[in-house]
Amino acid sequence: MDVKRFLLPILALLVLALPTLSFAEDAPKIKLGYAKCAHCTPMSLTPQFAEGVAIDAVSFNTGTDALTALVSKNIDVAQVTYLHYAIALDKGFDVVAISGQVNGGSAILLANDLEIAPGDWGALKALIAKYKADGKPFRVAASRGNAQDIHMRGAFAKQGIDINKDVQFINIPNPSDHLQALRRGEVELICTVEPFATQIMQAKAAKFFGFPYDQAAGKLTNLILTRSDVIASNPKALEGVVRAVVKVDAHIAADKPALIEVISKVTGLDKAIATGAVENLDPDPKMYRASALAIATMMRDLKYINSDVTAAVEKNLDYRFLEAATGKPKTELGY
């Protein structure tokens, strides 16, 4: 008798819960990949902000890994960069952009022994000219082909600095190696990504010069991609994914401690570094057409891609999911 009295309320609760469980099981499923960078880690929150779709969020070491998983159909949605988008289209892959995510995250840092004030491009140009006159290379570094490389090259060009003639470019593929390159005195200037920029400055391995955002590509970094077959088979699920991205962006924009927490949790970084990094991150789900076209043009000019993909970049920006998620027309979403 006592056992029945104990079990009956539990059975009643299970019966009441059945419709919810059934709904969760019936919800369309999307496998989503994201990279383990400071910008990207908020994507790990999308499952808890999703409605009407079950998101399986999977972390990858890099955006390139996430893109590879997308085009090989191991995942349905990938967080990558605008550069990955142009590269994928250049290679003829079937990718469609459905949302932005987070922009910013780039910083230009100078070796500590250079007497140049932050933002003083005139002094920097004069110093580069002196190095050239003295027959010494002024060495600038970035990870070739990433967003910071593009941002730096655009900012240099805007200031009249020819990166092919006036300085010596050093490619350091892994941004985690930027700190040691500065400590060893191997470069005079570096354009790196958060959280490494904050890590370098907190370690006093270099000093801040400026943000490289005054150029045609602006501060664009992350983009959410899918494939046309996923759009055809699961449009409502993709709408749910974009709605979740929009909610996550609103959440981390309003609650910086939440962003710091997720960066530390996913990357294992010290919270002091994550706290500095968030100041240079801009949650923004819009897709900026004009800047995306500028990036594609810059990448072709730099021979990072082989063909003119500007028409494909514009054609494959699909705003319908953002419009549904935000209730705004594409003209207010970066189109």
Side-chain angles (χ1 to χ4, degrees), residues 156-335:
F156 271 37
K158 186 78 182 288
Q159 295 296 330
I161 302 170
D162 188 327
I163 207 160
N164 296 314
K165 297 179 180 176
D166 298 330
V167 300
Q168 179 183 348
F169 178 75
I170 307 288
N171 178 34
I172 303 176
N174 191 337
S176 65
D177 295 329
H178 290 178
L179 186 151
Q180 291 304 328
L182 286 159
R183 277 184 168 160
R184 290 193 293 262
E186 295 174 352
V187 295
E188 278 69 47
L189 179 151
I190 206 161
C191 190
T192 191
V193 62
E194 296 292 358
F196 299 109
T198 296
Q199 186 180 31
I200 289 167
M201 288 187 284
Q202 290 189 359
K204 301 190 185 307
K207 57 188 180 183
F208 179 76
F209 175 71
F211 298 117
Y213 301 143
D214 183 20
Q215 34 76 32
K219 60 163 62 174
L220 292 192
T221 46
N222 286 358
L223 195 61
I224 307 299
L225 301 185
T226 187
R227 301 184 309 272
S228 57
D229 64 295
V230 184
I231 293 176
S233 63
N234 227 343
K236 276 295 174 188
L238 290 179
E239 184 180 317
V241 170
V242 173
R243 202 177 295 278
V245 172
V246 171
K247 287 181 179 177
V248 168
D249 273 0
H251 172 63
I252 59 176
D255 188 351
K256 282 189 178 178
L259 178 53
I260 293 166
E261 184 69 30
V262 72
I263 292 173
S264 294
K265 182 178 176 182
V266 176
T267 66
L269 276 171
D270 184 273
K271 281 198 175 179
I273 296 173
T275 300
V278 300
E279 298 302 323
N280 188 15
L281 302 182
D282 180 17
D284 186 354
K286 295 178 183 176
M287 297 190 291
Y288 293 91
R289 182 172 58 98
S291 296
L293 295 173
I295 288 173
T297 300
M298 291 165 72
M299 291 182 70
R300 189 188 182 199
D301 291 344
L302 291 165
K303 303 188 186 310
Y304 287 179
I305 57 177
N306 297 315
S307 58
D308 180 0
V309 296
T310 50
V313 163
E314 180 159 10
K315 179 185 174 188
N316 289 24
L317 288 172
D318 191 337
Y319 284 87
R320 81 181 90 165
F321 305 102
L322 265 180
E323 289 181 318
T326 62
K328 297 178 181 177
K330 64 182 182 182
T331 50
E332 295 181 22
L333 297 168
Y335 180 77

Side-chain angles (χ1 to χ4, degrees), residues 7-118:
L7 287 177
L8 283 175
I10 295 177
L11 289 171
L13 287 172
L14 286 173
V15 169
L16 288 172
L18 276 177
T20 303
L21 293 173
S22 175
F23 174 78
E25 289 173 356
D26 292 343
K29 295 176 175 58
I30 289 288
K31 197 165 185 177
L32 176 154
Y34 65 95
K36 288 182 182 175
C37 69
H39 302 71
C40 320
T41 55
M43 294 298 290
S44 66
L45 301 176
T46 51
Q48 70 190 66
F49 283 86
E51 293 180 13
V53 58
I55 299 175
D56 178 13
V58 183
S59 64
F60 289 84
N61 286 332
T62 67
T64 301
D65 295 337
L67 177 63
T68 301
L70 177 69
V71 299
S72 59
K73 300 191 176 182
N74 287 312
I75 59 175
D76 307 301
V77 172
Q79 166 271 309
V80 296
T81 67
Y82 279 81
L83 281 75
H84 288 108
Y85 178 47
I87 290 169
L89 293 172
D90 182 51
K91 292 181 180 296
F93 293 139
D94 171 23
V95 293
V96 181
I98 55 174
S99 174
Q101 187 239 337
V102 170
N103 294 318
S106 303
I108 298 176
L109 308 181
L110 284 174
N112 287 323
D113 59 348
L114 300 182
E115 298 295 330
I116 297 176

